[in-house]
Amino acid sequence: MYLQKLSVHNFKNYTGADFLFSKNVNCFIGNNGVGKTNLLDAIHYLSFCKSYFTSNDLQNIRHGQDFFAIHGTYHKDPGDENVIQCVQERNKRKRFLLNKKEYDRFSDHIGQIPLVMISPYDRDLINEGSEIRRKYVDSVISQFDKLYLDDLINYNKALLQRNSLLKLFAEKRSWDMLALEIWDEQLVRLGEGIHRKRRAFLEEIIPLFEKYFRMITGGSESVFIEYQTQLYGSSFREKLAGSISNDRAVQYTTVGIHKDDLGFLMDGFPIKKFGSQGQQKSFVIALKLAQFDYTRKTKGFSPILLLDDVFDKLDDTRVQELIRLVSEHSFGQVFITDTSEERILKNFDHKEIDHRIFRLPGSLANLN
């Protein structure tokens, strides 16, 4: 699966632009603020029906315009062409189309064009709270397991209802255990299934993550991802029963898979506290490359890989190793942004791999 052509109209800083891409490596070079990352975000839209950076689609309409449109032409097999369109008008519902046929639900498209993006914003996985790490795990699993996504939505609905009951009981100074148990049953049934799938996913991706970290860094540090969950030791049902007094006091559900987290460790210590910026960046890049490998094995073909400003704060050895990795045939189509034309030319011009370089802003023409 590769993106042959991209057209953007009134998207962020672009009035209109068309690109023809290589099946392998495509590099956007230019100063900060010229729109390199915006092109990666447009490609991300075509896979996930949304921006990588903001949940507000209207913010991506070029200032003073009434809409944005993104069109992509994809090929998987010879003669197999698919055109994806995303159109957002002000005061109207976003439209997403496959070969001119509009989707009723955006979720029907998720997973059709697998994609992995690595961005400086990914350091939030290390530095922010547990919710962002749960969302990351859920987003990866949901691309391949529609039932998982449905169960997660229903779990969150049941959790909301249980929390609402706890608040209502406190306000009315009453207690109805039977009413609470209705939602307990749903939380247990859905939560245990979600827990099993999260655990299975992590068991599969952690060895891949450790492999890529060693490849990028030369094995100078040991790393591990720890699945932190309350569902170890006893059943979810027992955990809920044991937390009743505490739940009544704080008026929300204190145990469950909605409290899951990931512990990111380097040499046995939290990388958030003890890792340098370069080590943290290598950690996240290795995690995303493991996601890429997991996706490829699950889907049976390579996803598109977007690398946004990944070389900053990496030493030359790690940069060269990362470029060697993504230049391999198994990585399929790769898009890279960088502010350093010298670095891109140095690392790609001598390689026997099909690549195109685009200088922004400018003619947008292929430089190679």
Side-chain angles (χ1 to χ4, degrees):
M1 175 74 72
Y2 72 96
L3 175 61
Q4 178 195 41
K5 180 179 180 181
L6 175 71
S7 298
V8 293
H9 304 277
N10 297 330
F11 183 71
K12 297 190 176 184
N13 68 317
Y14 287 92
T15 302
D18 298 310
F19 299 86
L20 289 175
F21 295 127
S22 162
K23 294 181 181 180
N24 298 114
V25 177
N26 299 275
C27 305
F28 301 114
I29 58 176
N31 295 329
N32 291 325
V34 300
K36 304 184 302 297
T37 299
N38 293 344
L39 293 175
L40 298 192
D41 202 24
I43 297 170
H44 185 273
Y45 253 105
L46 295 177
S47 284
F48 292 96
C49 310
K50 63 180 182 180
S51 168
Y52 190 77
F53 303 101
T54 177
S55 59
N56 188 340
D57 295 298
L58 297 180
Q59 291 180 356
N60 296 315
I61 299 176
R62 180 176 169 84
H63 182 67
Q65 302 300 316
D66 295 323
F67 76 99
F68 76 71
I70 307 169
H71 306 267
T73 302
Y74 292 84
H75 292 266
K76 184 176 180 182
D77 301 310
D80 178 23
E81 179 177 289
N82 289 289
V83 178
I84 309 297
Q85 298 170 275
C86 177
V87 180
Q88 175 68 70
E89 299 178 75
R90 295 193 187 276
N91 303 318
K92 291 187 178 181
R93 178 183 180 272
K94 179 169 58 183
R95 301 174 61 223
F96 215 85
L97 301 91
L98 170 62
N99 297 327
K100 299 184 178 180
K101 183 178 180 181
E102 186 168 356
Y103 283 100
D104 294 324
R105 301 187 309 167
F106 297 148
S107 60
D108 292 337
H109 180 69
I110 305 303
Q112 298 301 311
I113 304 175
L115 177 147
V116 175
M117 183 164 181
I118 306 177
S119 160
Y121 288 88
D122 292 333
R123 285 184 60 202
D124 288 350
L125 283 168
I126 293 174
N127 296 314
E128 297 300 323
S130 61
E131 182 180 5
I132 193 169
R133 289 182 286 276
R134 285 193 301 275
K135 284 185 176 179
Y136 169 71
V137 171
D138 293 338
S139 68
V140 177
I141 299 174
S142 296
Q143 290 186 62
F144 314 107
D145 190 335
K146 299 297 184 184
L147 181 58
Y148 179 88
L149 180 58
D150 290 340
D151 286 349
L152 189 64
I153 291 170
N154 290 326
Y155 178 92
N156 288 327
K157 288 179 179 178
L159 179 65
L160 180 63
Q161 292 294 333
R162 189 179 194 271
N163 289 343
S164 297
L165 269 183
L166 289 168
K167 291 179 181 178
L168 181 64
F169 294 158
E171 291 170 0
K172 293 189 173 183
R173 299 179 183 274
S174 63
W175 183 252
D176 185 347
M177 191 61 201
L178 289 177
L180 205 66
E181 286 177 349
I182 294 173
W183 302 112
D184 287 358
E185 288 298 321
Q186 292 198 38
L187 289 181
V188 168
R189 178 177 59 83
L190 297 166
E192 289 183 342
I194 292 168
H195 170 74
R196 284 193 299 271
K197 290 180 179 180
R198 285 178 179 174
R199 185 176 59 194
F201 164 71
L202 290 167
E203 287 175 352
E204 190 166 348
I205 203 171
I206 286 173
L208 298 173
F209 158 71
E210 293 173 329
K211 177 189 75 171
Y212 280 111
F213 191 87
R214 287 194 301 270
M215 293 173 76
I216 294 172
T217 65
S220 53
E221 303 98 2
S222 64
V223 289
F224 187 67
I225 299 175
E226 180 183 60
Y227 182 23
Q228 299 172 346
T229 179
Q230 298 169 325
L231 269 61
Y232 285 140
S234 56
S235 71
F236 191 5
R237 191 181 306 279
E238 291 171 334
K239 296 280 188 181
L240 278 174
S243 70
I244 286 295
S245 296
N246 195 28
D247 291 355
R248 290 186 69 175
V250 297
Q251 300 173 35
Y252 63 84
T253 306
T254 57
V255 299
I257 54 97
H258 58 286
K259 296 293 186 178
D260 283 359
D261 199 358
L262 301 178
F264 291 158
L265 306 176
M266 186 181 68
D267 293 334
F269 297 96
I271 194 170
K272 178 179 180 178
K273 293 182 179 180
F274 298 97
S276 67
Q277 288 188 5
Q279 289 170 328
Q280 289 184 5
K281 191 160 194 175
S282 296
F283 192 101
V284 173
I285 290 173
L287 176 60
K288 288 299 191 77
L289 292 179
Q291 176 191 340
F292 179 97
D293 216 345
Y294 174 86
T295 303
R296 179 179 59 196
K297 290 178 180 178
T298 305
K299 297 293 289 186
F301 58 91
S302 294
I304 294 171
L305 180 63
L306 309 183
L307 303 178
D308 184 25
D309 194 26
V310 296
F311 302 133
D312 183 44
K313 295 184 175 62
L314 294 179
D315 58 44
D316 289 343
T317 300
R318 298 189 186 198
V319 168
Q320 291 171 12
E321 184 59 28
L322 181 57
I323 289 176
R324 184 193 68 79
L325 279 173
V326 302
S327 298
E328 293 177 350
H329 175 71
S330 60
F331 271 84
Q333 191 176 35
V334 181
F335 293 86
I336 298 172
T337 69
D338 201 353
T339 56
S340 173
E341 180 174 352
E342 179 183 359
R343 179 163 48 203
I344 291 295
L345 295 176
K346 173 185 174 182
N347 284 288
F348 281 101
D349 268 7
H350 67 283
K351 294 185 180 298
E352 295 182 0
I353 183 171
D354 181 43
H355 68 280
R356 295 183 185 177
I357 300 176
F358 302 87
R359 183 184 290 113
L360 304 176
S363 65
L364 306 181
N366 175 20
L367 300 184
N368 286 54

